[in-house]
Each structure stands twice: as C-alpha cells, then as structure tokens.
Amino acid sequence: MSFKSGFVTIIGNPNVGKSSLFNEILNFDLSVVTHKSQTTRDSIKGILTTANFQIVLSDTPGHVESSYLLHDKMNKNIYSSLEGSDLILYITDVKEKNINQNLIDAVIKLEIPIFYIVNKSDLDINYRLLNNDLFLDSFLISTKNKKDINNMINKIAQKLPAHPAFYSKDVLTDKNERFINSEIVRGEIFKSFTQEVPYSTHVEINSFKNDEKLLRIEGYIYVETESQKSILLGKKGKKIREISKNSRHIIEKMYNKQVYINFTIKVLKWRNDQKFIFSKY
Ligand SMILES: Nc1nc2c(ncn2[C@@H]2O[C@H](COP(=O)(O)OP(=O)(O)OP(=O)(O)O)[C@@H](O)[C@H]2O)c(=O)[nH]1
Ligand SMILES: [Mg+2]
C-alpha cells in the first residue's frame, strides 16, 4: 500500500468538541479545551504520522456570527483553512439540533468531501445518525470515552491521496513554542473565570528563553477594561499568581525542567482594534 498524506480540517459550531477531537486524534493536548464556547481563536495545525499515513489536521474556531473584528478574523481563519483541504470533518454533538448550513455550503462549493461526525455519544441523549448525500461518511463518537475514534482515524487515512509526507515525522504542529505556551496560559484564564474576562483576554509571550536548566517566559496579558484588570489580578494579585502557578506546572511537565513565568497586564480595547487584530490574529 502506498503512503498517504493530506490536509484535513475540523469545522463546526462552537463548543461541540472540535479541539477535544483534534487533541484525541493527535494523542496530545495541543489545542485549548474548555467548557466555554468560542475557546479556539486561531487555526492550528497538528500532524499525526504513522508508518502508513500522515494526517495534517487543522483545528478551527467555532463558527459564530461576527460582533467584533476578532470574530470576523476568526471566521476568515475558518474559511482560509478550508481551502486546500482534502477532507473536512464537520463536527456536531448529540445536543445540537441544526447543522450550520452556511459552513457546509462553503465546503460543498469547494467540492471537498465531508465526514459528518456527531460527538458526545456518552451523553444520555437518543441520537440516530442520518444518512445524507451531502456527506461521504458519518460517525457517532465520544472523545470523552474514546469511542470509535480509531475506526474514524483509519477511515480518514483511507480517503487521503497517495502522497509522501508533507512534514518530517517528528513535527507535531505548525505553531511555535511561544504560541503553544501562550495558549496554555489562556486556557488557565478560561478555566479560572466565568463570564467576560476570558473573552476579553489576549495572551502574548514576548520573551522565551529556553536554557539548559531553566525556561524563562515573559509577556503581556491584554484585557479591555480597568475593572477586568482588577478581576484578573485578584485580591493582592492572588488570582494572577494562581493562573501563573497552574500554567507553570503544565509547562514544567511538558519541558521537564524548571520554568519561570512573568506576565504584565495591559488594558486596551483590542478586540475592535484593527491594527492589533491584524498583526496578532
Ligand atoms: N460529554 C462529553 N463532553 C465532551 C466530549 N467532547 C468534548 N466535550 C466537552 O465539550 C466542551 C467543549 O469542548 P471543546 O473541544 O473545547 O469544543 P470546541 O468545539 O473546540 O469549542 P470552541 O473552540 O469554543 O469552538 C468541553 O467542556 C469538553 O470537555 C464528549 O465526547 N463527551
Ligand atoms: Mg476549540
């Protein structure tokens, strides 16, 4: 059998488990997963290489109607990930009533085959997979109890073109270490706060020094208002220290060395700031 390799993009509405599936296929926690909607902002590629195939998988933000410049840019990120894909994984979950027809139509226009994937089969909700001509194949899965994921990965690989690997086999992602680590911090902020603070936060690493014994990470956390800044700081800086500590533990495990983290909080109405959005998203 010849080696197969191709580009596969995960799309769908917010919060259906796209990033969970992405991480599950890669067997590595690369993309941020939280119980909140609109967690993913950037498209990110993860690469799964086996002896027989290489899947270059893209996770994308959940598709939302735009109310900020940030959302416009998130939607553009989705559509630009579609182009050049060999296969699309459209994800929904057992709770969702309607598919996102705009997204599906965009894929059909590009004549890219679609797998229809219904996630969260572990939930006690009756769901019957529909046979639909729009989709090449369909799967009922659960990333939580790992049901039917391997079967689906093999079916994905079968549909890829015969092609040599695009990336060398030890490459896991197209993103750099600054991005991966800033996402860990952003994930901790999402876990620590309800409501608006996570959505108003942008994390940026501007100094990343990986020495033999110590990894030093410094950067900025942007929020939009002074009151969000004081919520993020917490009483006497308790909250931000806790977020830094939790992030540090995750990063120390990943690099297996001591990590120093320091973030300064800045206030800027960044989500509608054209220059900011276009330079950073
Ligand atoms: N019960 C159950 N929950 C799941 C499953 N997969 C994901 N979840 C949960 O669903 C929530 C959203 O998961 P994400 O992977 O962040 O979803 P997403 O589609 O990437 O979300 P956005 O990036 O916001 O669009 C999290 O709380 C997950 O733990 C599953 O198979 N079963
Ligand atoms: Mg996501």
Side-chain angles (χ1 to χ4, degrees):
M1 195 180 78
S2 56
F3 194 84
K4 294 188 159 210
S5 186
F7 293 80
V8 179
T9 301
I10 300 176
I11 59 170
N13 285 328
N15 215 37
V16 293
K18 297 181 298 300
S19 301
S20 304
L21 179 64
F22 177 83
N23 291 342
E24 199 52 50
I25 291 177
L26 299 172
N27 203 12
F28 188 80
D29 286 342
L30 193 55
S31 197
V32 183
V33 170
T34 76
H35 63 279
K36 293 191 182 63
S37 233
Q38 298 171 46
T39 301
T40 307
R41 286 181 188 156
D42 251 291
S43 299
I44 172 170
K45 280 192 180 68
I47 296 125
L48 174 70
T49 310
T50 69
N52 303 319
F53 61 83
Q54 179 174 77
I55 298 174
V56 183
L57 190 65
S58 294
D59 186 18
T60 64
H63 186 261
V64 283
E65 293 309 317
S66 48
S67 49
Y68 285 99
L69 205 56
L70 173 67
H71 293 148
D72 279 344
K73 193 66 208 317
M74 280 160 64
N75 287 341
K76 283 204 182 97
N77 284 343
I78 302 173
Y79 289 114
S80 66
S81 300
L82 296 181
E83 284 166 19
S85 297
D86 297 296
L87 179 68
I88 298 295
L89 309 181
Y90 178 86
I91 319 282
T92 179
D93 67 21
V94 293
K95 292 183 286 187
E96 264 200 332
K97 298 274 183 290
N98 297 312
I99 59 171
N100 187 323
Q101 198 61 48
N102 288 341
L103 260 185
I104 301 272
D105 286 347
V107 180
I108 290 171
K109 229 178 180 172
L110 292 168
E111 298 182 3
I112 305 168
I114 309 173
F115 277 6
Y116 183 65
I117 296 165
V118 182
N119 186 30
K120 310 192 188 180
S121 65
D122 55 287
L123 296 178
D124 199 15
I125 296 175
N126 233 340
Y127 192 92
R128 263 188 348 135
L129 266 186
L130 299 171
N131 276 329
N132 192 322
D133 289 347
L134 292 176
F135 308 117
L136 191 62
D137 209 340
S138 47
F139 301 87
L140 183 59
I141 63 160
S142 164
T143 66
K144 194 169 184 180
N145 61 21
K146 314 201 186 303
K147 193 179 158 286
D148 282 338
I149 307 268
N150 279 337
N151 169 40
M152 190 195 64
I153 293 175
N154 287 328
K155 291 272 172 58
I156 292 171
Q158 280 170 24
K159 297 294 172 208
L160 298 181
H163 195 282
F166 289 93
Y167 291 85
S168 85
K169 65 178 189 306
D170 48 1
V171 176
L172 182 67
T173 177
D174 65 328
K175 294 285 185 189
N176 61 28
E177 288 174 287
R178 287 184 193 218
F179 177 83
I180 305 295
N181 287 292
S182 67
E183 285 290 274
I184 289 172
V185 177
R186 205 169 62 85
E188 288 306 310
I189 295 170
F190 262 77
K191 284 178 210 155
S192 298
F193 298 101
T194 53
Q195 294 169 6
E196 101 254 14
V197 171
Y199 297 110
S200 311
T201 301
H202 169 84
V203 180
E204 184 175 297
I205 291 173
N206 56 9
S207 168
F208 188 89
K209 294 196 180 113
N210 195 355
D211 295 333
E212 201 184 323
K213 290 213 174 94
L214 180 74
L215 171 60
R216 276 182 83 90
I217 296 175
E218 287 172 277
Y220 298 113
I221 298 175
Y222 289 88
V223 287
E224 295 215 304
T225 62
E226 287 296 334
S227 73
Q228 289 164 355
K229 179 175 173 175
S230 51
I231 295 171
L232 185 58
L233 280 169
K235 257 192 196 144
K236 295 184 181 158
K238 189 167 170 245
K239 206 74 193 171
I240 186 72
R241 273 203 305 281
E242 196 180 288
I243 287 163
S244 295
K245 191 183 85 187
N246 293 342
S247 308
R248 189 162 54 74
H249 285 164
I250 297 172
I251 299 170
E252 279 177 343
K253 253 194 209 152
M254 205 159 84
Y255 286 84
N256 200 15
K257 70 169 74 163
Q258 204 186 334
V259 173
Y260 166 85
I261 284 189
N262 184 36
F263 281 94
T264 307
I265 303 175
K266 285 193 175 188
V267 177
L268 176 77
K269 289 252 184 279
W270 63 272
R271 280 186 297 182
N272 263 328
D273 186 314
Q274 195 144 3
K275 220 172 115 196
F276 190 98
I277 295 295
F278 283 93
S279 67
K280 301 184 196 295
Y281 281 90

